[in-house]
Amino acid sequence: MKKLLLQIFTWWNGQTIGTRFYTWRFGKKVGEDEFGNVYYEGPQTSFGVPRRWVIFNGVAEASAIPPGWHGWMHHRTDVAPSQETYVLREWEKPHKPNLTGTPAAYRPKGSLAGAGERPRVTGDYDAWTPGS
């Protein structure tokens, strides 16, 4: 019951009722990633490409889409990672959640939310003054 109420009243927890209906009516499941996100493909858009969407496992966090699925979602490839043996390239890093707005967010010294004092400016910087 709680999950249904979340789907009715929030858009950031999984799928909404509208997304559930659209997925049921038009969606074809393409695959699932290691985070439990489920990917779908539907009818063509006005641009002539198939509509693609993801139903997140939990909170909707766009940075939680792995690189292979990101390429498929944005039509950079027509082959979904579930239909091929996708291997991360050496320069692709594992997912790290976006921590902005959380207590674990990066806060440099001297920022309003950070502790400490901003480092003093060294001689490699000259402040701009009008007329100079």
Side-chain angles (χ1 to χ4, degrees), residues 25-132:
R25 181 94 194 267
F26 303 109
K28 181 185 91 172
K29 183 177 176 182
V30 176
E32 193 170 328
D33 65 19
E34 63 268 21
F35 303 117
N37 302 326
V38 184
Y39 297 86
Y40 293 91
E41 192 167 55
Q44 289 192 348
T45 67
S46 58
F47 299 116
V49 295
R51 183 178 304 275
R52 295 174 177 169
W53 67 95
V54 59
I55 296 179
F56 291 98
N57 179 20
V59 176
E61 174 60 57
S63 70
I65 296 177
W69 283 105
H70 182 272
W72 179 80
M73 288 282 294
H74 294 276
H75 300 280
R76 301 213 192 289
T77 179
D78 290 330
V79 181
S82 61
Q83 298 168 348
E84 67 179 354
T85 307
Y86 182 80
V87 180
L88 285 175
R89 300 210 166 88
E90 65 274 359
W91 47 266
E92 292 177 327
K93 295 183 178 182
H95 170 69
K96 287 171 53 177
N98 182 352
L99 300 174
T100 303
T102 69
Y106 173 69
R107 293 177 174 87
K109 289 182 184 175
S111 72
L112 296 175
E117 193 172 311
R118 188 175 135 259
R120 301 288 311 157
V121 176
T122 61
D124 63 344
Y125 173 80
D126 292 325
W128 176 82
T129 55
S132 62

Side-chain angles (χ1 to χ4, degrees), residues 1-7:
M1 181 67 172
K2 180 180 177 184
K3 190 172 185 175
L4 179 64
L5 289 174
L6 284 174
Q7 289 181 359

